[in-house]
Amino acid sequence: MNILILGGDGYLGWPTAMRFSQQGHSVTVVDNYFRRHSCDDLDTGMLYPVPNLVERAKLWHELTGLEIKVKIGDLCDKQVLDGVFSEARFSGYEWAIEPNFSGVPDTVVHYAEQPSAPLSVSNYYYADKTLINNLQVTNNLIWAVKEYSPQTHIIKLGTMGEYGTPNIDIEEGWLDVEHKGRTQKFLYPRQASSVYHTTKIMDTDLLWFAVRTWDLKVTDLMQGPVYGIETEESAIDPRLNTLFNYDEIFGTIVNRFITQAVVGYPLTVYGKGGQTRGYLNIKDTLQCVEMSAKSPAQQGELRIFNQIMETFSVNELAELTQKVGNQMGLDVEIKPIENPRKELEEHYYNPTYQGLVDIGVEPHYLTDDVMRSMFEVVMKHRENIRKDVIFKGIKW
Ligand code: USQ
């Protein structure tokens, strides 16, 4: 397959690129380094330095003989996508560093979004940036696929946060509604709790419109918070490891708790800690995307999967981190702090997540061993961890 990955430099994008390349697919990645530049601008710190995308692709080629084609460009500029789809040459575009791209993509994996909920509510500038970036890239993608290649399968990363925490069971994307004796299937009601999560709802609405109107084929993966560092491909050489944030803006909870435990920073449980979410290992993100690409949605179908493997409350994650950390000789303290977020701290949570297993995904669970192996990697980089970026208190 020809696979195009938008946002190929990010936490999930780069490991996804290596996975498809390792399996013999032709892979092109596009990125504008938004995440890296934001980490610099916001002084968030990273667990270890990561080579840039061009250097990573070069390293990948040296180590495996395989090629990942790189284009550096801002996908808010429609011409960047047009260039990839139409093979047009735009002289003067610095991103056109790979002249041999051939063929429209069979699958586009869309990760090219501002992914941080705290950042999206931190101030007007980032709220606006999140809205414009996320919606514009999705709109550009829809139009590029419609104009150049309507048979291309779009795999869009959604988020479980689109559903919020309703007091009823969460279905996989759709809900049959009976009203005054008639029935209709609708998108499951969504009620997000950040500007970022709201853009994901809007993405879904745009794609659903495009599916109904132009028969595009789309898979929407409603992903929970991801944890983990290593994947099968990064085991080839640690320089291939994905970027790892542990700060309040870009770090997700499990990665943060392990890092906090390693440097003796009390685990930052927000509020009562009863907030429950669905979680998954980064290895399973790769499996889910891979299986979705192998069994695509049909033309004119918006297929939605809940991409989580198990659920935990914040307190359960803190206790697990403390238990494993203490077994490894650390002295892990848990310290609930006032919740900077506007969210329910005690609630019902019962999502369905069977669809991806049905198409062949074999879940990895957050066992003590999995957590221990994450601790080992983080401990190797202990000297890089900055306590001052762990909690700055971005309020909703
Ligand atoms: N939390 C704490 N302490 C912390 C960090 C987080 O108690 O130090 C709590 C939060 O309040 C929240 C839960 O842990 O209740 C998850 O927070 P998170 O920061 O790990 O995840 P979130 O902000 O929801 O966003 C992340 C990714 C986002 C993805 C989303 C999936 O950044 O890109 O879409 O997970 S979901 O949460 O299912 O919407």
Side-chain angles (χ1 to χ4, degrees), residues 14 18 49-68 70 233-234 236-241:
W14 174 246
M18 289 193 291
V50 171
N52 71 36
L53 194 49
V54 177
E55 289 164 345
R56 289 164 137 184
K58 212 168 136 214
L59 185 61
W60 177 248
H61 182 65
E62 282 162 18
L63 293 165
T64 64
L66 298 165
E67 186 186 20
I68 292 175
V70 173
E233 291 73 28
S234 72
I236 298 169
D237 188 306
R239 288 173 296 170
L240 296 171
N241 271 350

Coordinates of all heavy atoms in Angstrom, one line a residue, residues 14 18 49-68 70 233-234 236-241:
W14 N 5.5 9.0 14.1 CA 6.8 8.4 13.7 C 6.8 6.9 14.0 O 7.1 6.1 13.1 CB 8.0 9.1 14.5 CG 9.3 8.4 14.2 CD1 10.0 7.7 15.2 CD2 9.9 8.2 13.0 NE1 11.1 7.2 14.5 CE2 11.1 7.5 13.2 CE3 9.7 8.7 11.7 CZ2 12.0 7.1 12.2 CZ3 10.6 8.3 10.7 CH2 11.7 7.6 10.9
M18 N 7.3 4.0 11.0 CA 8.2 2.8 11.0 C 7.5 1.5 10.8 O 8.0 0.6 10.1 CB 9.0 2.8 12.3 CG 10.0 4.0 12.4 SD 11.2 3.7 13.8 CE 10.2 3.9 15.2
P49 N 16.7 14.0 23.7 CA 16.6 14.7 22.5 C 16.3 13.7 21.3 O 16.6 12.5 21.4 CB 18.0 15.2 22.2 CG 18.9 14.6 23.2 CD 18.1 13.9 24.3
V50 N 15.5 14.1 20.3 CA 15.1 13.3 19.3 C 15.6 13.9 17.9 O 15.4 15.1 17.7 CB 13.6 13.2 19.3 CG1 13.0 12.5 18.0 CG2 13.1 12.4 20.5
P51 N 16.2 13.1 17.1 CA 16.7 13.7 15.8 C 15.5 14.2 15.0 O 14.3 13.7 15.2 CB 17.3 12.5 15.0 CG 17.4 11.4 16.0 CD 16.5 11.7 17.2
N52 N 15.7 15.2 14.1 CA 14.6 15.7 13.3 C 14.1 14.6 12.3 O 14.7 13.6 12.2 CB 14.9 17.1 12.7 CG 15.9 16.9 11.5 OD1 15.9 16.0 10.8 ND2 16.7 17.9 11.4
L53 N 13.0 14.9 11.7 CA 12.3 13.9 10.8 C 13.2 13.5 9.7 O 13.2 12.3 9.4 CB 11.0 14.5 10.3 CG 10.0 13.6 9.7 CD1 9.7 12.4 10.6 CD2 8.7 14.3 9.5
V54 N 13.9 14.4 9.1 CA 14.8 14.0 8.0 C 15.9 13.1 8.5 O 16.2 12.1 7.9 CB 15.4 15.3 7.3 CG1 16.3 14.9 6.2 CG2 14.2 16.1 6.8
E55 N 16.5 13.5 9.6 CA 17.6 12.6 10.2 C 17.0 11.3 10.6 O 17.7 10.2 10.5 CB 18.1 13.3 11.5 CG 18.9 14.6 11.1 CD 19.2 15.5 12.4 OE1 18.5 15.3 13.4 OE2 20.0 16.3 12.3
R56 N 15.8 11.2 11.2 CA 15.2 9.9 11.6 C 15.1 9.0 10.4 O 15.3 7.8 10.4 CB 13.9 10.1 12.2 CG 13.9 10.8 13.5 CD 12.5 11.3 13.8 NE 12.1 10.9 15.2 CZ 10.9 11.2 15.7 NH1 10.0 11.7 15.0 NH2 10.7 10.9 17.0
A57 N 14.5 9.6 9.3 CA 14.3 8.8 8.1 C 15.6 8.3 7.5 O 15.7 7.1 7.0 CB 13.6 9.6 7.0
K58 N 16.7 9.1 7.6 CA 18.0 8.7 7.1 C 18.5 7.5 8.0 O 19.0 6.5 7.5 CB 18.9 9.9 7.3 CG 20.0 9.9 6.2 CD 20.7 11.3 6.2 CE 22.2 11.0 6.1 NZ 23.0 12.0 6.8
L59 N 18.4 7.7 9.3 CA 18.8 6.7 10.2 C 18.0 5.4 10.0 O 18.6 4.3 10.0 CB 18.5 7.2 11.7 CG 19.0 6.3 12.8 CD1 20.5 6.2 12.8 CD2 18.5 7.0 14.1
W60 N 16.7 5.5 9.8 CA 15.9 4.3 9.5 C 16.4 3.6 8.2 O 16.5 2.4 8.2 CB 14.5 4.8 9.3 CG 13.5 3.7 8.9 CD1 12.8 3.6 7.7 CD2 13.0 2.6 9.7 NE1 12.0 2.5 7.7 CE2 12.1 1.9 9.0 CE3 13.3 2.2 11.0 CZ2 11.4 0.8 9.5 CZ3 12.6 1.1 11.5 CH2 11.7 0.4 10.8
H61 N 16.8 4.4 7.2 CA 17.3 3.8 6.0 C 18.6 3.1 6.2 O 18.9 2.0 5.8 CB 17.5 4.9 4.9 CG 17.9 4.4 3.6 ND1 17.2 3.5 2.8 CD2 19.1 4.6 2.9 CE1 17.8 3.2 1.7 NE2 19.0 3.9 1.8
E62 N 19.5 3.7 7.0 CA 20.8 3.1 7.3 C 20.7 1.8 8.0 O 21.4 0.8 7.8 CB 21.7 4.1 8.1 CG 22.3 5.2 7.3 CD 22.8 6.4 8.2 OE1 22.9 6.1 9.5 OE2 23.0 7.4 7.7
L63 N 19.7 1.8 9.0 CA 19.5 0.6 9.8 C 18.8 -0.5 9.2 O 19.0 -1.7 9.5 CB 18.8 1.0 11.1 CG 19.6 1.9 12.1 CD1 18.7 2.5 13.1 CD2 20.8 1.2 12.8
T64 N 17.8 -0.2 8.3 CA 16.9 -1.2 7.7 C 17.0 -1.3 6.2 O 16.4 -2.3 5.7 CB 15.5 -0.9 8.1 OG1 15.1 0.3 7.5 CG2 15.3 -0.8 9.6
G65 N 17.6 -0.4 5.5 CA 17.5 -0.4 4.1 C 16.2 0.1 3.5 O 16.0 0.2 2.3
L66 N 15.3 0.5 4.4 CA 13.9 0.9 4.0 C 13.9 2.4 3.9 O 14.6 3.1 4.6 CB 12.9 0.4 5.0 CG 12.8 -1.1 5.1 CD1 12.0 -1.5 6.3 CD2 12.2 -1.7 3.8
E67 N 12.9 2.9 3.1 CA 12.8 4.3 2.9 C 11.5 4.9 3.4 O 10.4 4.3 3.1 CB 12.9 4.6 1.4 CG 12.9 6.1 1.0 CD 12.9 6.3 -0.5 OE1 12.4 5.4 -1.2 OE2 13.2 7.4 -0.9
I68 N 11.6 5.9 4.2 CA 10.4 6.7 4.6 C 10.6 8.1 4.0 O 11.5 8.8 4.2 CB 10.3 6.8 6.1 CG1 10.0 5.4 6.7 CG2 9.2 7.8 6.5 CD1 9.9 5.4 8.3
V70 N 10.0 11.9 3.3 CA 9.7 13.0 4.2 C 9.4 14.3 3.5 O 10.1 14.7 2.6 CB 10.9 13.3 5.2 CG1 10.7 14.5 6.0 CG2 11.2 12.1 6.0
E233 N 9.8 -1.6 16.4 CA 10.7 -1.0 15.5 C 11.8 -0.2 16.2 O 12.9 -0.2 15.8 CB 10.0 -0.1 14.4 CG 9.2 -0.9 13.4 CD 7.9 -1.5 14.0 OE1 7.3 -0.9 15.0 OE2 7.4 -2.5 13.5
S234 N 11.4 0.5 17.3 CA 12.4 1.3 18.0 C 13.4 0.4 18.7 O 14.4 0.9 19.1 CB 11.7 2.3 19.0 OG 11.1 1.6 20.1
I236 N 15.1 -1.6 17.4 CA 16.3 -1.8 16.5 C 17.4 -0.8 17.0 O 18.6 -1.2 17.0 CB 15.9 -1.4 15.1 CG1 14.8 -2.4 14.6 CG2 17.1 -1.4 14.1 CD1 14.2 -2.0 13.3
D237 N 17.1 0.4 17.5 CA 18.1 1.3 17.9 C 17.3 2.4 18.7 O 16.3 3.0 18.3 CB 18.7 2.0 16.6 CG 19.9 2.9 17.0 OD1 19.7 3.8 17.8 OD2 21.0 2.7 16.4
P238 N 17.8 2.7 19.9 CA 17.1 3.7 20.8 C 17.0 5.1 20.1 O 16.1 5.9 20.5 CB 17.9 3.7 22.1 CG 19.2 3.0 21.8 CD 19.0 2.2 20.6
R239 N 17.8 5.4 19.1 CA 17.7 6.7 18.5 C 16.4 6.8 17.7 O 16.0 7.8 17.3 CB 18.9 6.9 17.6 CG 20.2 7.2 18.3 CD 21.4 7.3 17.4 NE 21.6 6.0 16.7 CZ 22.4 5.8 15.7 NH1 23.1 6.9 15.2 NH2 22.6 4.6 15.2
L240 N 15.7 5.6 17.5 CA 14.4 5.6 16.8 C 13.3 5.8 17.7 O 12.1 5.9 17.3 CB 14.3 4.3 16.0 CG 15.3 4.0 14.9 CD1 15.1 2.6 14.4 CD2 15.1 5.0 13.7
N241 N 13.5 5.9 19.0 CA 12.4 6.1 20.0 C 11.6 7.3 19.7 O 12.2 8.3 19.2 CB 13.0 6.3 21.4 CG 13.2 4.9 22.1 OD1 12.7 3.9 21.6 ND2 13.8 5.0 23.2

